[in-house]
């Protein structure tokens, strides 16, 4: 019901008294989780790249544990929860998948260095291969499932998938040459992540968006 001035009158309950006003809903959480998720992803990605290139020797591979567990894993997990809380289910799922990858990778390295899993030396390659095959399948499916995203994101996921595939083949065959090639593709996915991060930060600070490329599937 409205008055002659067009203002709404309070609704009346059956007894004729005005009902109490509903409490105002709290503001929905906002923000861009990628501004946390991408730098966290980069720390692990850069560490892995340096290892694949041979800059980080195999004897010092334990250096990757704090980078992957405490930075990439936990940082991406927080970003994933943040994205889910603001209604970005797909983004939250992507960040959480990468978080669990880095967490599990860090644990694998830590356990191999300390022989927690008691894997015989002759079975170490098969054990690492099993880990890589499982994650290769996940990243391949993730790449195909997100083809509706802008091309930059598809390129990032595809490069991660290619890197895991190269590391898998190199691990099973003992090829250092393939590890170097994997280092190149890892460097490329790090550069792609940098590009996406800079775009997000630029827009957050009021700048113009950079081109992300057209999706492969519309």
């Amino acid at each position: 019901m409205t008055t002659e001035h067009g203002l709404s009158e309070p609704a009346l309950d059956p007894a004729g008294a005005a009902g109490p006003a509903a409490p105002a809903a709290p503001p929905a959480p906002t923000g861009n989780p990628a501004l946390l998720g991408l730098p966290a992803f980069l720390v692990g990605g850069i560490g892995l790249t340096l290892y694949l290139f041979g800059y980080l020797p195999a004897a010092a591979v334990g250096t990757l544990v704090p980078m992957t567990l405490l930075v990439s894993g936990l940082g991406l997990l927080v970003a994933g929860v943040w994205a889910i809380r603001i209604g970005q289910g797909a983004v939250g799922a992507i960040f959480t998948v990468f978080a669990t990858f880095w967490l599990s990778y860090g644990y694998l390295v830590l356990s191999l260095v300390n022989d927690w899993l008691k894997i015989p030396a002759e079975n170490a390659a098969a054990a690492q291969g099993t880990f890589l095959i499982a994650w290769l399948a996940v990243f391949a499916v993730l790449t195909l499932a997100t083809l509706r995203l802008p091309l930059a994101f598809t390129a990032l996921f595809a490069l991660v998938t290619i890197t895991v595939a190269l590391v898998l083949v190199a691990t099973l065959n003992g090829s250092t040459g393939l590890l170097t090639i994997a280092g190149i593709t890892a460097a490329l996915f790090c550069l792609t992540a940098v590009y996406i991060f800079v775009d997000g930060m630029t827009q957050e600070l009021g700048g113009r968006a950079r081109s992300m490329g057209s999706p492969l599937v519309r």
Side-chain angles (χ1 to χ4, degrees), residues 124-201:
Q128 295 175 62
T130 300
F131 176 88
L132 292 168
I133 290 170
W135 276 109
L136 176 61
V138 170
F139 288 136
V141 171
L142 180 65
T143 302
L144 294 175
T146 56
L147 291 179
R148 291 182 179 275
L149 290 176
L151 184 60
F153 295 92
T154 301
L156 173 63
F157 301 148
L159 286 167
V160 169
T161 304
I162 293 170
T163 300
V164 174
L166 289 170
V167 173
L168 170 63
V169 177
T171 299
L172 296 179
N173 295 308
S175 172
T176 56
L178 281 177
L179 287 180
T180 301
I181 298 173
I184 295 173
T185 58
L188 289 174
F189 75 60
C190 287
L191 289 173
T192 305
V194 168
Y195 181 82
I196 297 172
F197 170 73
V198 171
D199 171 70
M201 184 63 78

Side-chain angles (χ1 to χ4, degrees), residues 43-52 56-57 60-72 102 105-107 109-110:
V43 172
I46 292 171
L48 179 61
T49 299
L50 295 175
Y51 171 71
L52 293 174
L56 180 66
V61 70
T63 305
L64 294 177
V65 173
M67 300 173 72
T68 55
L69 275 176
L70 300 180
V71 182
S72 294
W102 287 118
Y105 178 77
Y107 177 76
V109 172
L110 190 62

Side-chain angles (χ1 to χ4, degrees), residues 2-63:
T2 58
T3 66
E4 61 183 11
H5 298 292
L7 299 176
S8 298
E9 292 182 347
L12 299 179
D13 62 17
T30 58
N32 185 357
L35 299 184
L36 169 62
L38 287 170
F41 172 83
L42 277 168
V43 172
I46 292 171
L48 179 61
T49 299
L50 295 175
Y51 171 71
L52 293 174
F53 274 135
Y55 174 81
L56 180 66
V61 70
T63 305

